[in-house]
Amino acid sequence: MSENKHVVQPVVRRQSTTTSSTQLEHAPQLEFASDSTPAKKKFGSNLAYTSTPQDYETARERLSDEMEGRWVGAMPVKEFLNIFLSTAGAPLPEIPENPFQEVQENGSDSGRYAPFIDAIQQWMPHLEAVNTSNREDTSNKLKLRTDISIYNRDQPIPDRTNFSQMELWIEFKNNDGAAFQDPSDITEDSCRSAIKSGSFTPATKEGRSIRGQLSHYAGALHSVQFRNFSFSMLVETQDARFLRWDPSGVIVTAAFNYRAQPRLMAEFLWQFDHLSAVERGHDPTVQPAEIVPDLAARVRQKLGIKSNDAALYRYELPGMSGLGYAYGPKPSTQNRSPVSRRTRSLPVVWVPAQDNIVKEGPWHQERIIYMKDTWRFLSGSSDIKVMPEHEIYKVLHSHGTPNIPEHVAGGDIDGGKTRTQEFGNAPWLCVKLRISPYQHYRLFHGVVGRALYKFVCTKELVTGVFDALQAHSHAFEKAKILHRDISAGNIILTDEGRGLLIDWELGKLVDDVGSRRPDRTGTWQFMSANLLKNPGKMHEFADDLESFLHVLAWITLRYVPAGDTYSAGNRDYDLAMFDEVCSNLGHFESGGRAKAKDFAAGTYPSEDFAPRISTPLLKLLAVLRKPFKSFYGQPPSDEDRKKIDIPREQQDDKLIALRVIISEYDEDIESLKMARSFLDEMRCALDKEAWPMDDKADDNLPGSFTTTKKIRVKTTQRGTNHLANSKGSLSKGSKRGASPTLEQGSKRRCTPAASEARA
């Protein structure tokens, strides 16, 4: 129940360098396309790539922002009980008079938790409530602890917070209405007023902090369990609320005085106690593996699991009923948001059933496969079809798209559709945003590769990105599909050192215009500056092309072994660019200003980075960034173009120089419409440059990353961000200067002969 300060760690970046006299006037105006979907910096999906230190306060702040508009309430308590909790089973025992009289309204832990547990335990014969307010989950890096944790009695009861075993959790607060404020009555006018004012979710520091904390706990539970949904409870001074969490959002009941109305509390706990595991939200398609020791040993050996005590699970694969199961460990997890896709993936072992009717092909034999468990977005409209990922792969394969996984299958999981969106027109609804439906979905394919950032040398890194860009370009030109989520996690390396482009879940037909979802999902660190600066901009080919460059640059700064002159402060500064959040325009954040400024100044991605071992990678980055320098820099004005619209023989040296500048600008902008020039430059570098073979990946961040002092954010109504630390700027580990290594190849253009092209 402890309170934490409302703090966010934004990013401070340098101003771009002064433009030279040869540069042109008038920066391009970036359009806001209202039929697209704004971007949000997702707490869960981007956590793996952040360079910003993650602590409890930061996580709470991020989740509070992300969850705005997802709190669906205030649902009448009786309606909640009737819809989500079964009334079957033994009748509720007689409720004693004033069962909560010993629970202090405001007081110490011992004055509230122990008496509350004593009061509610009588309504949970199969469950046990434990005071875990001072005993955090030791498996959680942020050391989260719920006030009361409720566990099944059919297994050993933990004496601390344990999200992996938890059935229900309860959080206490000392201020009624701090997190949620119900309208005065359930009328159309009252609810409309609440929606307009946002009064149901108060924008106070305390209210945002509490909602962020609740979201953090729910996200932790869903990240370590196999869940379709879950329940929790918020108890305040006099009031209590029940909550139901699924990937679409969280349903919040109206507040009720649990002291004056103990029957509502009793009914909830009694009915919850008598629910089956599936009715409590557990996913029935994942179960502890009950297999013979020989098979368990083979699974562990194939997956490289050294411990014989490591738990194995059996995964059902949609569309493969009766043909076999997949076996493997629980996916490695991190704290995630309780809403949206909640993607988890891992290699597993496919074991065909003895009577498997498939007599040949990849599913007839025992083998390692890659499994992705996620919640896919549904449009909610019969007029808009969102292709499942395995169907996108079918289209890509039908067009011969190279460098993507083979043997792809997948499907929806029965009973795995969210329900929160069903209440989008409820008379008691007090939320602002459209609630999107999601469907539990599982995909699997026959390639298990290495992460791109586990390259054995920088040539392999560039090869992986080159291959992925080939796949992306072919898909766009031939299959008319745009990937829309290029990230460091969506390119993998095969055993042969080649790249594959995976995770086509957000892929969209090029001709499919308009918005399908209320917010854009993607990986913030790798999104184009144009998308980040303009939250409603349509996602275009050039945005994905820029994302490939961000992937290469981010991995370079973080994983390419650096020389001694590149300090921890340098890396802190340079990686911060990818985490930048500049403002909050309503509910939609923007960013990308640091990326755009560095592109325009010709300093992207770093002025300081120098590798420990010389590599052509930096020259390649300098070449690939050139078109974006034009795009984010100053375009030719109409007046400039008119000046050169005269015969060449009448042009003086100044006009000739201006013509060259405009010609290069037009060439750069044209090159962003297709991937051909980028592929040519990468192919040329791979074929003709001398690459070292001993500069394998080394994660530079953990041992050398140093945090700056926490920075306050001030956001104006216009969305401008004013950032400063205690000295008004971000301190650096060394003086910044030009990087001759990066600048060396900035003008190099290379187009190989057709005979040199790679397959």
Side-chain angles (χ1 to χ4, degrees):
M1 195 178 72
S2 60
E3 298 301 321
N4 287 308
K5 294 183 178 180
H6 179 77
V7 177
V8 65
Q9 289 181 305
V11 176
V12 176
R13 295 286 295 172
R14 62 185 176 277
Q15 298 296 317
S16 59
T17 57
T18 304
T19 57
S20 68
S21 59
T22 58
Q23 289 180 303
L24 300 165
E25 301 175 358
H26 313 303
Q29 297 298 311
L30 305 179
E31 297 181 357
F32 185 98
S34 60
D35 56 346
S36 186
T37 50
K40 275 192 175 183
K41 187 180 180 186
K42 299 288 186 180
F43 168 74
S45 61
N46 302 294
L47 192 60
Y49 306 107
T50 184
S51 61
T52 305
Q54 295 297 307
D55 57 22
Y56 192 57
E57 294 176 352
T58 304
R60 181 180 292 190
E61 168 70 17
R62 300 294 320 137
L63 283 168
S64 175
D65 288 342
E66 184 171 333
M67 289 295 294
E68 285 304 308
R70 304 278 193 168
W71 305 96
V72 180
M75 179 184 266
V77 179
K78 275 293 187 181
E79 184 176 344
F80 184 93
L81 296 176
N82 292 337
I83 293 175
F84 298 121
L85 285 93
S86 171
T87 57
L92 177 66
E94 183 177 351
I95 300 173
E97 183 178 356
N98 197 7
F100 296 104
Q101 62 180 343
E102 299 299 325
V103 180
Q104 297 179 12
E105 293 186 4
N106 293 284
S108 63
D109 294 351
S110 60
R112 301 189 72 191
Y113 303 153
F116 190 88
I117 290 173
D118 290 342
I120 66 174
Q121 191 61 68
Q122 60 186 309
W123 302 314
M124 298 186 297
H126 307 101
L127 301 170
E128 185 159 333
V130 180
N131 178 357
T132 55
S133 59
N134 291 316
R135 303 294 300 277
E136 70 272 1
D137 189 335
T138 54
S139 66
N140 190 294
K141 293 181 180 179
L142 293 180
K143 299 182 179 180
L144 300 179
R145 55 180 183 271
T146 58
D147 289 336
I148 293 178
S149 302
I150 296 178
Y151 302 108
N152 260 321
R153 285 182 167 177
D154 60 0
Q155 54 186 323
I157 305 296
D159 63 352
R160 63 173 60 248
T161 302
N162 187 323
F163 286 103
S164 65
Q165 287 186 233
M166 197 179 292
E167 292 293 325
L168 180 73
W169 53 272
I170 303 174
E171 181 65 18
F172 283 75
K173 293 298 171 188
N174 285 328
N175 188 356
D176 287 333
F180 307 99
Q181 291 182 2
D182 300 342
S184 56
D185 51 51
I186 301 178
T187 64
E188 184 176 349
D189 288 343
S190 294
C191 292
R192 184 178 300 167
S193 175
I195 292 175
K196 184 176 181 180
S197 65
S199 60
F200 180 63
T201 51
T204 61
K205 178 178 178 180
E206 182 181 16
R208 288 170 51 81
S209 179
I210 294 173
R211 294 192 299 275
Q213 183 180 16
L214 298 177
S215 303
H216 209 176
Y217 292 165
L221 184 145
H222 283 262
S223 69
V224 297
Q225 293 192 27
F226 302 102
R227 285 273 188 171
N228 290 330
F229 57 88
S230 68
F231 294 92
S232 66
M233 188 189 306
L234 174 63
V235 178
E236 299 171 311
T237 305
Q238 295 281 349
D239 297 337
R241 298 177 189 269
F242 306 133
L243 299 90
R244 181 189 182 274
W245 307 78
D246 72 24
S248 283
V250 52
I251 295 177
V252 184
T253 69
F256 68 95
N257 189 317
Y258 70 92
R259 299 171 185 274
Q261 298 174 283
R263 185 170 188 85
L264 293 176
M265 180 71 72
E267 286 182 3
F268 172 82
L269 293 170
W270 180 261
Q271 292 175 24
F272 184 85
D273 180 273
H274 288 79
L275 294 177
S276 67
V278 173
E279 290 171 324
R280 290 181 192 165
H282 291 275
D283 178 6
T285 66
V286 182
Q287 298 290 338
E290 297 179 356
I291 51 180
V292 297
D294 286 349
L295 177 55
R298 290 203 308 274
V299 170
R300 290 190 172 94
Q301 187 273 327
K302 287 178 181 293
L303 297 177
I305 301 174
K306 297 181 180 179
S307 172
N308 292 329
D309 297 327
L312 296 178
Y313 293 86
R314 187 193 74 185
Y315 298 89
E316 294 182 16
L317 305 185
M320 307 291 279
S321 178
L323 300 181
Y325 294 101
Y327 294 91
K330 183 180 293 187
S332 59
T333 57
Q334 57 192 4
N335 264 286
R336 294 184 177 273
S337 167
V339 299
S340 199
R341 293 186 289 160
R342 300 200 318 219
T343 301
R344 299 189 285 190
S345 58
L346 77 163
V348 293
V349 176
W350 166 254
V351 180
Q354 291 184 351
D355 56 350
N356 188 336
I357 61 174
V358 180
K359 300 304 180 183
E360 59 183 15
W363 309 112
H364 177 62
Q365 55 188 341
E366 189 175 297
R367 63 196 296 260
I368 299 178
I369 62 174
Y370 171 91
M371 187 185 75
K372 172 182 174 181
D373 186 274
T374 190
W375 288 77
R376 70 180 188 91
F377 169 78
L378 302 175
S379 70
S381 170
S382 58
D383 298 329
I384 301 176
K385 175 177 172 56
V386 180
M387 277 196 297
E389 188 174 0
H390 68 282
E391 292 186 9
I392 294 177
Y393 274 111
K394 286 181 181 178
V395 175
L396 296 175
H397 285 138
S398 71
H399 286 84
T401 301
N403 307 330
I404 61 173
E406 298 291 336
H407 309 307
V408 179
D412 294 337
I413 295 175
D414 291 340
K417 187 176 180 180
T418 57
R419 298 200 61 188
T420 302
Q421 75 281 351
E422 296 175 12
F423 304 94
N425 294 315
W428 41 261
L429 190 67
C430 297
V431 297
K432 296 180 180 179
L433 299 182
R434 184 181 73 208
I435 303 297
S436 302
Y438 286 82
Q439 169 66 51
H440 198 180
Y441 175 83
R442 206 164 280 153
L443 176 97
F444 39 101
H445 58 68
V447 179
V448 178
R450 279 178 289 131
L452 182 63
Y453 53 80
K454 293 185 178 180
F455 55 88
V456 298
C457 61
T458 51
K459 184 174 184 179
E460 185 182 64
L461 166 63
V462 174
T463 299
V465 176
F466 172 83
D467 291 340
L469 183 54
Q470 273 196 322
H472 182 278
S473 177
H474 188 281
F476 180 77
E477 294 183 31
K478 304 298 183 182
K480 304 302 180 184
I481 290 177
L482 186 62
H483 189 283
R484 304 197 310 155
D485 189 20
I486 302 302
S487 74
N490 291 345
I491 302 173
I492 61 174
L493 295 169
T494 66
D495 291 340
E496 295 76 26
R498 303 312 298 253
L500 297 179
L501 184 58
I502 63 171
D503 282 358
W504 289 82
E505 179 184 352
L506 298 184
K508 188 176 181 181
L509 292 172
V510 175
D511 296 332
D512 183 7
V513 297
S515 172
R516 301 187 300 186
R517 55 200 308 155
D519 59 299
R520 191 198 319 278
T521 59
T523 310
W524 184 274
Q525 287 84 356
F526 308 108
M527 292 173 70
S528 74
N530 205 358
L531 284 174
L532 295 175
K533 289 176 66 177
N534 299 274
K537 176 192 173 298
M538 289 294 293
H539 198 127
E540 299 175 291
F541 179 85
D543 298 307
D544 274 8
L545 196 59
E546 183 179 328
S547 291
F548 277 103
L549 183 53
H550 292 317
V551 167
L552 199 55
W554 181 86
I555 291 180
T556 296
L557 295 176
R558 177 159 176 174
Y559 289 98
V560 172
D564 294 338
T565 60
Y566 191 63
S567 69
N570 293 136
R571 183 172 290 108
D572 180 343
Y573 185 89
D574 290 332
L575 286 173
M577 168 177 61
F578 298 94
D579 286 331
E580 178 196 32
V581 181
C582 293
S583 63
N584 190 312
L585 307 176
H587 287 307
F588 304 116
E589 296 165 327
S590 67
R593 285 159 176 76
K595 289 178 179 176
K597 286 180 179 179
D598 283 5
F599 272 134
T603 58
Y604 177 92
S606 170
E607 296 175 271
D608 298 316
F609 181 79
R612 188 180 308 155
I613 301 172
S614 179
T615 170
L617 173 59
L618 297 189
K619 291 198 295 183
L620 178 62
L621 283 171
V623 171
L624 297 181
R625 78 183 178 201
K626 183 180 180 297
F628 298 104
K629 179 177 181 180
S630 294
F631 183 82
Y632 290 108
Q634 297 176 325
S637 66
D638 292 340
E639 182 180 350
D640 291 327
R641 291 187 181 276
K642 289 179 181 178
K643 289 178 181 179
I644 65 170
D645 190 20
I646 59 175
R648 285 178 178 263
E649 59 272 14
Q650 298 180 21
Q651 296 181 11
D652 57 18
D653 291 345
K654 186 176 181 180
L655 286 182
I656 292 174
L658 182 60
R659 177 184 289 276
V660 171
I661 293 173
I662 292 176
S663 176
E664 288 187 355
Y665 174 88
D666 291 342
E667 178 186 344
D668 287 341
I669 299 303
E670 187 67 22
S671 71
L672 297 177
K673 296 179 180 179
M674 304 293 284
R676 193 167 296 114
S677 64
F678 279 70
L679 289 170
D680 287 345
E681 295 293 352
M682 297 177 76
R683 185 185 293 112
C684 177
L686 288 168
D687 287 345
K688 296 187 175 182
E689 297 285 0
W691 292 82
M693 294 291 105
D694 54 350
D695 55 346
K696 68 178 182 179
D698 179 18
D699 191 349
N700 299 300
L701 193 57
S704 60
F705 183 73
T706 58
T707 63
T708 59
K709 294 183 179 180
K710 290 185 178 177
I711 310 165
R712 296 283 182 176
V713 179
K714 179 180 179 182
T715 306
T716 71
Q717 292 181 349
R718 297 181 63 186
T720 304
N721 198 34
H722 304 278
L723 304 173
N725 65 10
S726 57
K727 294 183 179 181
S729 61
L730 185 66
S731 59
K732 288 288 294 172
S734 66
K735 183 178 180 180
R736 300 193 66 84
S739 172
T741 310
L742 251 179
E743 294 299 327
Q744 186 176 4
S746 61
K747 295 183 179 180
R748 171 180 153 275
R749 306 292 291 178
C750 179
T751 303
S755 61
E756 297 174 322
R758 290 170 178 255

